[in-house]
Amino acid sequence: DGHSQLSAYERKRLKNITENAKFFAALELHKSAARLHQIATKSQSHATKRAKPKKAEDETVRRRSMRLQRVEPSGAPMPEMPAQPEAEEYPQVPAGPLPMIPEDQMENGKLTEELLTTWMRISEVLLVTITNVLTMLSRYQGSLNSMGLSEDNVKKVVKYRVCSMAIHPSESIIFVAAGDKSGQIGLWNASCKSEEGARVFIPHSYSVTCMHFSPCNPAHLLSLSMESLRCGDVTRAVFDEVCRSEENLSSFDFLEENGSTAVVGYWDGGVAVVDRRTPGTSSELSADIGFKRTRTVHVHPVNKQYFIAAGSADVCIYDVRYLKSNGNKPVSSLKGHTKSVASAYFSPVTGNRVVTVCADDKLRHNCNTGRWLTRFRAIWDPKQEDCFVVGSMARPRQIQVFQDTGKLLHSFYNIDCLSSVCSINVVHPTKNILVGANSSGRLHVF
């Protein structure tokens, strides 16, 4: 059969993958999904544009310079500037399950099917032993130096500013998901060098602020926007609705390795626990943790009962087992921030370290992105316990890698291929792959 050198297990696995791919292709899900979409939208033929989205974060009151108040130093008013165009409005996405079909109905259905088939094929659960991927610092720096960027690895995947990303754990295919501020999710097979390697879907109405492939089943992509948490299941070609809330959702993380439960943060400061196995789209528990804002939540990699929440100037660790509606006390509070905190994450192996990004620039790092760029989030390299990756305002435009001591280890840049700020970044869990995303929907793969 051409695979005689493989073991019996590997041959059986290859056969299963081939049969699954044939089965998926035979289903012609892109056609059935299109029919489902036609039925679902038939009653919405007169749909109007949704109201302008609520502002996720209130602006703090600041002193305004005479220039911003349009007043000359002499006190005379400056001439009026032309009125700015209003913010764009995006289509309203209905509640409930949504068929997994691309934004543009005229796109090639076969190419969409090929992309989804690739996602399903590389999501086969492998019975492998997890090995320690930590390396010596010198060897780690060598691997960083070996990574580069070319024009083939730069692509505009979504239409608007990227707010979140997730990378598939496959070691054979570079498969990336990006969510933008309008609710779009772009899927990109970066290993496919043709122009047709990406497709855009619209499962949300607002900014997609958080995304993760399920830790036990990467055929599931969970994405969160202000109105809902959804699960894109490629085996059924559907974006299921896991949780819907009248309050604005901000972030989530899995509480268990099987991905069945999650802790969810709210923009107004609370948190909730969601169980994907229970019917309905309501949370199991809502808890007030005393925050004015909760921007990110992250679960400890070893002791899953603990999660860290980051908000205004607060960074606190809580025990999910003792959460109640009100009066929750943190296990630990990380003090010292004087301005708003954008994110806080445990280190990937032991969880003994926490990296935060704050507008007080305590990393001696310019984090003031302004309103038109997504705020930076420093993320740990899953392969290295003490090193993290973060965007930069420096020129030439670059993505930087720091040690937990604050030492700059490496700067990723390419003057020809990278000319913008990459606020959101993601690192492959086992391979030397880094993806940076900018505010025009463009992804860069090093």
Side-chain angles (χ1 to χ4, degrees):
D1 58 1
H3 301 286
S4 57
Q5 75 279 9
L6 299 178
S7 67
Y9 167 75
E10 290 172 324
R11 288 198 300 271
K12 183 178 180 181
R13 177 177 169 272
L14 185 62
K15 180 182 177 182
N16 289 340
I17 292 174
T18 304
E19 290 177 351
N20 285 341
K22 289 179 180 177
F23 172 73
F24 187 79
L27 292 177
E28 296 185 326
L29 287 177
H30 67 284
K31 294 181 180 178
S32 59
R35 289 195 295 272
L36 284 173
H37 179 75
Q38 186 177 13
I39 294 171
T41 56
K42 195 171 184 179
S43 62
Q44 301 172 9
S45 57
H46 302 291
T48 58
K49 290 186 177 180
R50 64 170 167 84
K52 187 180 292 185
K54 302 173 186 177
K55 193 168 185 179
E57 302 185 43
D58 297 330
E59 294 289 336
T60 56
V61 179
R62 301 178 183 175
R63 292 178 54 199
R64 301 181 67 209
S65 66
M66 298 182 74
R67 177 181 63 82
L68 292 177
Q69 297 181 63
R70 309 210 57 76
V71 176
E72 296 281 6
S74 62
M78 295 173 66
E80 288 294 325
M81 297 291 289
Q84 296 295 318
E86 292 186 4
E88 294 187 68
E89 296 182 348
Y90 313 116
Q92 181 74 48
V93 174
L98 298 173
M100 194 176 283
I101 56 176
E103 173 200 18
D104 186 352
Q105 299 301 308
M106 301 305 293
E107 287 188 12
N108 190 319
K110 186 175 186 300
L111 295 174
T112 300
E113 182 182 338
E114 288 175 355
L115 180 71
L116 298 182
T117 302
T118 298
W119 177 9
M120 189 176 72
R121 177 174 57 82
I122 63 178
S123 299
E124 289 283 326
V125 178
L126 304 180
L127 301 177
V128 298
T129 302
I130 302 298
T131 57
N132 189 346
V133 295
L134 295 180
T135 58
M136 293 178 58
L137 189 60
S138 58
R139 184 178 171 188
Y140 178 65
Q141 282 190 283
S143 68
L144 297 178
N145 292 330
S146 68
M147 297 163 65
L149 177 68
S150 65
E151 289 185 6
D152 290 340
N153 289 332
V154 179
K155 187 174 185 64
K156 185 174 177 64
V157 175
V158 286
K159 188 173 181 180
Y160 300 101
R161 170 161 52 98
V162 176
C163 300
S164 61
M165 274 198 302
I167 189 167
H168 195 283
S170 168
E171 295 192 349
S172 59
I173 299 290
I174 304 174
F175 194 87
V176 188
D180 78 359
K181 71 172 186 175
S182 72
Q184 293 185 357
I185 290 180
L187 302 177
W188 180 30
N189 177 3
S191 297
C192 175
K193 299 304 180 183
S194 73
E195 289 294 321
E196 306 296 338
R199 283 292 177 270
V200 173
F201 304 84
I202 311 181
H204 295 284
S205 301
Y206 302 94
S207 300
V208 184
T209 53
C210 190
M211 284 198 300
H212 299 293
F213 284 99
S214 171
C216 72
N217 185 4
H220 291 175
L221 172 66
L222 282 91
S223 58
L224 179 141
S225 186
M226 286 201 302
E227 84 288 357
S228 66
L229 172 65
R230 289 186 178 272
C231 174
D233 182 352
V234 71
T235 63
R236 298 188 299 115
V238 170
F239 289 100
D240 280 323
E241 195 166 61
V242 176
C243 177
R244 175 166 285 269
S245 174
E246 294 299 322
E247 302 176 60
N248 295 332
L249 309 178
S250 62
S251 61
F252 79 97
D253 195 19
F254 299 108
L255 284 166
E256 298 173 299
E257 289 296 339
N258 61 16
S260 60
T261 57
V263 57
V264 178
Y266 291 99
W267 283 115
D268 69 356
V271 297
V273 175
V274 172
D275 192 330
R276 296 170 58 193
R277 298 165 296 187
T278 58
T281 58
S282 300
S283 62
E284 308 304 310
L285 168 71
S286 293
D288 181 357
I289 59 173
F291 279 28
K292 293 181 180 179
R293 287 277 180 270
T294 299
R295 293 192 177 91
T296 62
V297 290
H298 188 235
V299 175
H300 195 279
V302 180
N303 302 309
K304 296 288 186 178
Q305 68 270 27
Y306 298 121
F307 70 91
I308 190 166
S312 300
D314 306 297
V315 180
C316 296
I317 298 172
Y318 293 88
D319 190 329
V320 71
R321 298 172 300 180
Y322 299 105
L323 283 181
K324 49 188 182 294
S325 298
N326 294 288
N328 294 286
K329 300 293 184 183
V331 174
S332 178
S333 298
L334 309 184
K335 304 293 186 181
H337 291 299
T338 58
K339 294 186 179 180
S340 62
V341 181
S343 62
Y345 300 114
F346 288 111
S347 57
V349 180
T350 66
N352 291 344
R353 301 166 172 85
V354 171
V355 62
T356 63
V357 170
C358 180
D360 59 15
D361 306 335
K362 285 298 183 182
L363 194 63
R364 302 294 183 268
H365 188 84
N366 184 352
C367 299
N368 288 292
T369 54
R371 64 176 298 189
W372 303 115
L373 301 180
T374 302
R375 295 185 66 171
F376 292 156
R377 299 175 204 158
I379 57 162
W380 295 97
D381 186 334
K383 302 179 292 298
Q384 202 70 20
E385 168 73 0
D386 57 353
C387 299
F388 60 87
V389 178
V390 65
S392 174
M393 298 295 290
R395 293 180 183 273
R397 296 309 191 195
Q398 56 195 268
I399 303 168
Q400 297 179 323
V401 182
F402 286 89
Q403 199 174 6
D404 61 354
T405 59
K407 177 184 178 182
L408 176 63
L409 293 181
H410 187 77
S411 294
F412 288 99
Y413 64 92
N414 184 311
I415 297 176
D416 297 324
C417 301
L418 178 59
S419 57
S420 54
V421 175
C422 287
S423 298
I424 301 297
N425 303 283
V426 66
V427 183
H428 194 279
T430 57
K431 305 285 286 184
N432 293 326
I433 298 170
L434 164 70
V435 186
N438 70 5
S439 289
S440 64
R442 199 173 300 276
L443 274 56
H444 309 76
V445 180
F446 287 85

